[in-house]
Amino acid sequence: MNLQSRIGEHLKFDAAIGYTEGHFTKNAFVGNVLDQAVAKGDQISGLSAGPAIPPWTITAALEYDFTLAARDAYLSI
């Protein structure tokens, strides 16, 4: 879901929220069949060793529009 709103003539606010839930659909092995890396149903992780990817993501940004050297420009944070 994404929300954009203009705050005044030159300032824009942008916010987004997302949900992702990823799981392995099969067992995976490294090397031979005895070295199981992941099991079916394990949550997908963004790191080789560590916590799973968080299911929720939230972002926010501000954008300021202006003219610079007779050209349209913007600054985003």
Side-chain angles (χ1 to χ4, degrees), residues 24 37-38 43-53:
F24 287 93
V38 294
Q43 189 170 6
I44 296 174
S45 174
L47 305 172
S48 59
I53 298 169

Side-chain angles (χ1 to χ4, degrees), residues 1 15-19 55-60:
M1 179 170 55
I17 186 170
Y19 180 80
W56 289 97
T57 55
I58 300 171
T59 61

